[in-house]
Amino acid sequence: MARPRKPLLSRERIVTTALALVDAEGLEAVSTRRLAAELGVSGPSLYNHFRNKDEILDAVADSVSAQVDLSMFDEADGRDWRTALHDWAVSYRAALADHPHIVPVLARGPGRRPAGLRVADAVFGAMVRAGWPPAHATHIGALMRYFITGSALGSFARGFVDDETAYDPADYPHLGQAHLLAEHQQQVDEGAFETGLRALLDGLAVRYGAVRGGHASAAAEQ
């Protein structure tokens, strides 16, 4: 009887395996030797698909970018620019929350990654269509990436230990409940993200009014 054939090695299979390693053990767990062992292949066979570990991690990061919903930026979608940014930010953060260890790679920017570039293109295009000047649209894309990736780099709530004695009122009179934060990590971190996102969008809305008003005044003077 013939032996069952092993699945053919492919970029998709390598990326899926690498992402599982990153999720389980962090970026340091990924090496060509470790990946080859996980895939049941020889190390050199990986080089038929990727030149090095950095290319693999780039592809892993891009696979996470591909999980982000961009439908709100479609011209036919109908959401205004502020609602679109909000809904996209929530989707983006959810993807990063599912794969927090890859965030440092994503934070470096899209580079040549196709999915990452589609994200940047969608955000910029939607902002320009909404009436933002191109320079402002660029700033908004950068600002949103800073905020979203920054929020995913670590948990504020888990930054405090579950030990009441660590926060002596004599030294930290306002941290009497800090030891409870980790217990409510999801509620605290999601609440902080939503509060920050809405404050950011409120500020952009004010800026948008000033920018559009300035354009109207300039047009009237011509």
Side-chain angles (χ1 to χ4, degrees):
M1 182 180 295
R3 294 181 180 178
R5 295 174 60 187
K6 290 183 179 180
L8 292 175
L9 191 61
S10 64
R11 285 179 64 92
E12 181 180 1
R13 190 168 165 234
I14 294 169
V15 169
T16 299
T17 302
L19 179 57
L21 270 179
V22 171
D23 286 345
E25 302 180 34
L27 292 171
E28 299 77 12
V30 179
S31 67
T32 53
R33 178 179 297 181
R34 177 72 183 278
L35 274 175
E38 293 286 334
L39 291 161
V41 300
S42 63
S45 64
L46 297 179
Y47 298 116
N48 293 325
H49 302 276
F50 295 97
R51 289 183 296 179
N52 50 46
K53 171 184 170 178
D54 287 342
E55 278 198 359
I56 294 171
L57 290 177
D58 260 356
V60 169
D62 214 38
S63 73
V64 174
S65 293
Q67 299 174 19
V68 180
D69 182 16
L70 298 177
S71 63
M72 65 286 296
F73 296 127
D74 291 343
E75 291 190 55
D77 180 82
R79 275 172 272 193
D80 62 85
W81 67 266
R82 175 176 173 152
T83 304
L85 279 181
H86 176 276
D87 294 350
W88 166 68
V90 171
S91 175
Y92 196 173
R93 183 181 181 273
L96 299 188
D98 287 340
H99 309 285
H101 294 147
I102 200 64
V103 173
V105 180
L106 280 165
R108 296 200 294 258
R112 298 176 183 271
R113 303 178 203 135
L117 289 170
R118 282 192 289 273
V119 171
D121 182 72
V123 175
F124 180 82
M127 294 305 101
V128 171
R129 285 197 308 274
W132 286 98
H136 287 71
T138 299
H139 297 161
I140 290 169
L143 170 63
M144 296 300 291
R145 184 164 65 84
Y146 296 155
F147 175 70
I148 298 165
T149 57
S151 74
L153 282 172
S155 164
F156 175 82
R158 291 195 181 281
F160 296 86
V161 298
D162 183 16
D163 179 2
E164 187 174 5
T165 65
Y167 308 105
D168 189 329
D171 297 319
Y172 315 107
H174 306 296
L175 296 182
Q177 302 297 308
H179 65 287
L180 301 175
L181 289 174
E183 180 182 346
H184 304 284
Q185 178 259 328
Q186 184 174 357
Q187 179 183 356
V188 171
D189 291 346
E190 290 184 357
F193 177 79
E194 187 65 26
T195 298
L197 178 58
R198 290 190 179 278
L200 187 158
L201 294 174
D202 285 346
L204 285 177
V206 172
R207 182 62 179 158
Y208 182 76
V211 168
R212 299 301 296 163
H215 282 188
S217 299
E221 294 173 0
Q222 293 179 355

